[in-house]
Amino acid sequence: MAVQRCRYRCPCAILPPEILRRIASRGNRAQREAALATLATDQTLRLARATHQLLDAGARKPSLTLPELAKQRTIYDAGHQETLPGRVVRAEGSPAGKDVEVNEAYDGLGATFDFFAAVYDRNSIDDEGMHLDASVHYGRRYDNAFWNGRQMVFGDGDGDLFNRFTISLDVIGHELTHGVTGDEAKLVYLGQAGALNESISDVFGSLVKQRAQKQTAAQADWLIGAGLFTSKVSGVALRSMKAPGTAFDDPVLGRDEQPATMAGYVNTTTDNGGVHTNSGIPNHAFYVAAMAFGGYAWEKAGRIWYETLRDRRLKQTSTFRQFAVLTAQNASQLFGAPGRKIVAAAWKEVGVDVGR
Amino acid sequence: MRIDFRIDGGLAAFPGLAKPVSIDCAALPANDAARLGKLVRKADFFGMPPPRIVAPMPDARAYTIAIDDGLQCRTLTFAEPIADASMRELVAELRLRAGASRRGGDTR
């Protein structure tokens, strides 16, 4: 019988109910009480599990014991090949080495895990303690980073336009948040739902950085990927949540085409329907809401967006408006009428009407 | 042989990087042209079955390659990560060439 440690750090042995019932009827008084308490808890867990199963329609495996809240990071070196994951170069708890990308990936995964754990009580990507894996040195002069459904992948950059892709903590947070979205709302990566998927990664990627730097909404730069461009590029970052469409304007990369409002919504067949372009609209709504709430953005605006991401009413094919309506409802639940008013006003500023 | 290559998607939308790049092998040094021809043959570009369409992975890219070798032409799109090793090799080479050609057009 496996003895697992639960997140409350007590050893939980899983005994079959028939053994517990035998103890409850035949054991001494202390044993009987303990067994009965376990059976009662077990019953509650079964009920909770059945309820979740109904809601999930079998989408997620329920776990009887909550896994321990602990980071399990593994960093791999892809050795400039495009095969994953590569060889292990740093495991959880081992000291920093000389490879900057390995260390940045390790620390970035740690900061992201800590953010979700401390702020939203989330145990890793799947809230069940999923191990965090990342491969660095992927490909030759590879200028991208992505989430493949199981792990993060970072290129070194081409050295001409892009530096190493581990350089920005918010990019690491962005990639891991794709994992969270894949576990919760499962927003399809297309059109408005895809742009929401992208925006949610920018929101929490930025919040990971803001929390690591102890910045209030007013102090934050609200940039995604600052430091990623080499000095040859005229631009500050990949995107700006504060001022979408202003992050870069460069002869080789082109101009940042992100709209800040629905009036500028881009209909396109490229990039899965412009998921990295139209994300500017929900990004800016979040920024406006966070500034209106004031203080640390992860506490109110971030909490509202996180609860909306986990809201079972949020559809995989949600539009901006459907998402916005849920943020307003969650704002009301969490922070009352004043919270709702702030969120509704933020969406209105970007041209999304959440109604009354 | 003429190769048109286009990169779609990635961590951010860069209009400049999304522009197709055209490679005319006749205009390349003989060594480079031979190398590209070898990679195209090794990947069996004209003979391979079309890649399976899968749900896009966040921030991953898709590469569209059109090749005209004078006798036949074919256009295929591959989403990364690309499973086939020789196709990966061809795409990596085209990506490097596309980068170099963009830099060539820039005087910095």
Side-chain angles (χ1 to χ4, degrees), chain A residues 141-143 156-164 230 232, chain B residues 103:
Chain A
R141 293 171 63 106
Y142 184 77
D143 51 0
D156 292 343
D158 61 356
D160 187 53
L161 302 169
F162 299 97
N163 292 314
R164 60 188 188 275
T230 65
K232 290 182 191 171
Chain B
R103 284 193 295 281

Side-chain angles (χ1 to χ4, degrees), chain B residues 27-100:
Chain B
L28 290 179
N31 277 354
D32 289 6
R35 183 179 154 70
L36 266 178
K38 207 173 145 190
L39 285 172
V40 169
R41 278 192 302 279
K42 197 175 152 200
D44 192 20
F45 186 83
F46 290 104
M48 72 186 305
R52 224 158 40 91
I53 293 175
V54 291
M57 287 175 185
D59 300 326
R61 287 169 166 171
Y63 303 96
T64 301
I65 305 169
I67 304 182
D68 183 343
D69 71 352
L71 297 169
Q72 51 192 335
C73 57
R74 191 179 195 197
T75 304
L76 294 175
T77 297
F78 300 86
E80 67 187 354
I82 300 167
D84 181 71
S86 18
M87 199 57 228
R88 269 204 309 270
E89 224 180 312
L90 175 61
V91 167
E93 177 69 22
L94 292 174
R95 207 169 49 219
L96 293 177
R97 291 205 162 268

Side-chain angles (χ1 to χ4, degrees), chain A residues 71 73 103-119 132 169-170 172-173 176 204-205 207-213:
Chain A
K71 292 188 276 283
R73 291 166 286 184
N103 297 334
E104 283 174 345
Y106 184 87
D107 293 343
L109 292 180
T112 307
F113 180 96
D114 291 343
F115 169 83
F116 279 108
V119 180
L132 301 174
L169 175 57
D170 45 278
I172 298 177
L176 275 183
F204 293 105
L207 293 181
V208 167
K209 184 173 81 172
Q210 291 176 32
R211 182 170 178 271
Q213 299 185 354

Side-chain angles (χ1 to χ4, degrees), chain A residues 248-320:
Chain A
F248 59 89
D249 188 354
D250 180 81
V252 179
L253 293 179
R255 190 180 61 82
D256 177 5
E257 291 177 347
Q258 276 211 319
T261 71
M262 286 306 281
Y265 188 90
V266 178
N267 279 301
T268 172
T269 54
T270 63
D271 190 23
N272 299 304
V275 295
H276 293 91
T277 305
N278 292 315
S279 57
I281 298 164
N283 272 1
H284 194 58
F286 182 85
Y287 163 80
V288 172
M291 289 296 283
F293 278 118
Y296 292 128
W298 58 86
E299 288 179 351
K300 289 185 176 166
R303 164 62 72 180
I304 293 163
W305 257 243
Y306 180 70
E307 292 306 334
T308 304
L309 178 62
R310 299 183 67 226
D311 195 318
R312 289 172 191 281
R313 293 170 296 175
L314 180 64
K315 291 191 291 189
Q316 292 182 40
T317 54
S318 174
T319 61
F320 287 178

